[in-house]
Amino acid sequence: SDSTRDVSLLNVAYPILKKWFEWWMPNRDGNGDGLLEWGSDPVPVDREQTWDAFTLKGAMFESGLDNSPMWDDTSFNIDSHTMELSAIGLNSLYALDARALGQLAHLLDQNEDSNKFNALYRTMVERINKNLWDEEAGIYKNRHWSDDFSDHLSPTCFYPMIAQIASEAQAKRMVQEHLLNEEEFWGAYIIPSIARNDPGYQDMTYWRGSIWGPMNYLVYEGLRAYEMDVIASEFAQKSLNLFLQEWQQHTHIYENYNSITGQGKNEWWSYPVYTWGALLGFIAVQEVVDADPFTGGWRFGTQNSPIAEVKNIQVAEGKLSVQVNENKAVKVMLNGELLLTSAGSVKNYTRTENNVAFIPEYTGSITIGLLPASADLHITRNSQIQTIQTDASGQVDIVVKKAEVVKVGLA
């Protein structure tokens, strides 16, 4: 894991994850085009018929987005056991799984598997871009087997970003034309589970307009994948504000939230103590400190959020704590010792016993700690090397420029 760097858990989990992944394409590619649909299989004769299995409703339940308007105008194919609709969210997450399994296989020295999964990821990127991108609308969409795009837009349309399927231009169009569009997804309370201008939105029941923590989390991660940091910070703050509104009033963490009022619902379809509602707050924690899977290393600090502090994150070297003050200056401690202080946020931070590398997201001063005391260091910036000495406490002060790659190591 990231906390312990112990791969023993991966040795147990990897074959199970691989087997589950390999189930999907033979069982949920109903029309054989290499894209997945949600489905529901017949119930064996020796089992009780439950949950509307082998029906459209059963396939809707398999999606986890039970009554979403996305399923209002599709049908169920009894021969394939699937909807007659290629789902952009499902295919994006399948592609992301392929990429992740390729990385896990590499860590376990299973190179044949790694190459296979990496190739499949590239294939899925090509298929999704060819078949599920609507150039006229500027967004990915579900697509009916009749070849028509579905006009129901949901947060799943942004899932190609977390899988890094979209080009930079495609991602920018989706965010500018749709995510930040207050007639669709933006507003005081985000992000609704169906676009605000969808006919099903006004129902505001369950997946018909409510806000769900897991959707917010996946869209936020997609923004981070494309380094849309300012928008991601605002997204995180809006998610936190939504979470705190109910928490501070009632100490409730809801299953879902009303995207018009921001209130959690006391009716049966939104439980007041539900684990994944906490993802709305967790996004704000990640905004302060996060091990970034997209760019590598750690990210400390934030673009927009107010004063914040996260304490005692368990990492391989011990406990990490991060403070951000009212001026967005950052202070990071490791086991009570100074790791760094900076005038703004820092990303791609990696550290070994004697070397540090990072990219500043501001221009200004930074103090780097936990280096050898009174040692000569090379500060490398864009191939230019400067020699400087740490003080008696193992710290060094330098001035950095925004977006430059900085490396600090023993001379």
Side-chain angles (χ1 to χ4, degrees), residues 343-400:
S345 55
V346 170
K347 64 183 179 182
N348 293 39
Y349 179 94
T350 57
R351 175 179 171 270
T352 63
E353 184 177 357
N354 297 315
N355 297 275
V356 172
F358 61 91
I359 299 176
E361 297 187 284
Y362 67 96
T363 296
S365 63
I366 184 168
T367 300
I368 304 167
L370 291 179
L371 295 167
S374 302
D376 289 332
L377 300 174
H378 277 164
I379 314 294
T380 306
R381 318 179 206 198
N382 300 329
S383 302
Q384 300 297 312
I385 299 176
Q386 170 191 2
T387 301
I388 194 170
Q389 189 177 61
T390 57
D391 62 23
S393 64
Q395 297 179 10
V396 64
D397 299 313
I398 59 175
V399 176
V400 295

Side-chain angles (χ1 to χ4, degrees), residues 120-377:
L120 179 55
Y121 168 73
R122 292 190 294 271
T123 297
M124 289 303 299
V125 169
E126 182 179 351
R127 285 178 189 162
I128 291 169
N129 276 317
K130 180 180 178 180
N131 296 286
L132 301 181
W133 170 259
D134 185 343
E135 176 62 25
E136 183 178 354
I139 195 167
Y140 293 91
K141 290 182 177 180
N142 301 322
R143 194 163 197 165
H144 297 286
W145 286 5
S146 64
D147 208 34
D148 297 323
F149 283 116
S150 169
D151 290 328
H152 297 289
L153 300 184
S154 89
T156 63
C157 298
F158 300 103
Y159 288 5
M161 291 178 65
I162 191 175
Q164 293 187 303
I165 292 167
S167 67
E168 294 286 341
Q170 287 171 315
K172 184 176 181 179
R173 278 197 70 185
M174 285 194 291
V175 170
Q176 293 297 330
E177 297 177 24
H178 297 280
L179 179 63
L180 300 181
N181 183 345
E182 294 193 1
E183 293 183 359
E184 294 183 0
F185 294 104
W186 209 242
Y189 303 111
I190 62 170
I191 178 175
S193 50
I194 201 73
R196 299 181 194 275
N197 56 6
D198 190 280
Y201 174 78
Q202 294 302 325
D203 296 343
M204 200 52 61
T205 55
Y206 225 47
W207 294 97
R208 303 179 76 84
S210 300
I211 296 171
W212 296 74
M215 282 186 154
N216 275 40
Y217 181 79
L218 292 172
V219 174
Y220 171 81
E221 287 290 291
L223 292 169
R224 282 293 178 195
Y226 288 80
E227 300 188 61
M228 298 183 181
D229 296 337
V230 173
I231 297 170
S233 290
E234 187 175 357
F235 191 102
Q237 189 61 50
K238 284 177 177 286
S239 297
L240 179 62
N241 291 344
L242 174 65
F243 174 82
L244 290 178
Q245 180 171 287
E246 280 288 347
W247 176 256
Q248 292 173 340
Q249 291 177 5
H250 307 295
T251 63
H252 287 164
I253 301 175
Y254 273 93
E255 181 183 9
N256 55 80
Y257 295 78
N258 187 298
S259 60
I260 298 174
T261 67
Q263 297 295 312
K265 291 180 260 184
N266 293 306
E267 295 91 327
W268 66 269
W269 57 75
S270 182
Y271 291 103
V273 183
Y274 206 91
T275 53
W276 67 28
L279 285 169
L280 296 169
F282 184 66
I283 292 169
V285 173
Q286 287 186 285
E287 189 59 25
V288 176
V289 52
D290 191 20
D292 194 327
F294 302 107
T295 59
W298 286 83
R299 181 173 49 79
F300 303 122
T302 177
Q303 298 287 324
N304 284 327
S305 297
I307 299 171
E309 183 175 13
V310 178
K311 294 182 178 180
N312 298 325
I313 300 171
Q314 185 64 51
V315 297
E317 296 88 351
K319 294 188 181 296
L320 193 71
S321 297
V322 182
Q323 294 177 328
V324 181
N325 71 15
E326 65 275 9
N327 298 317
K328 301 179 187 173
V330 179
K331 182 178 182 180
V332 184
M333 306 292 290
L334 179 63
N335 298 322
E337 297 185 70
L338 181 68
L339 189 68
L340 68 84
T341 60
S342 65
S345 55
V346 170
K347 64 183 179 182
N348 293 39
Y349 179 94
T350 57
R351 175 179 171 270
T352 63
E353 184 177 357
N354 297 315
N355 297 275
V356 172
F358 61 91
I359 299 176
E361 297 187 284
Y362 67 96
T363 296
S365 63
I366 184 168
T367 300
I368 304 167
L370 291 179
L371 295 167
S374 302
D376 289 332
L377 300 174

Side-chain angles (χ1 to χ4, degrees), residues 48-98:
E48 181 182 357
Q49 178 84 17
T50 58
W51 288 101
D52 298 285
F54 199 44
T55 66
L56 176 60
K57 191 171 184 180
M60 291 162 61
F61 285 164
E62 182 178 82
S63 78
L65 312 179
D66 306 348
N67 67 335
S68 172
M70 287 190 290
W71 321 136
D72 285 357
D73 55 359
T74 189
S75 55
F76 184 77
N77 188 295
I78 61 172
D79 295 323
S80 66
H81 312 167
T82 68
M83 293 182 186
E84 295 184 339
L85 181 78
S86 297
I88 183 58
L90 173 58
N91 282 282
S92 297
L93 295 177
Y94 179 81
L96 181 62
D97 280 353

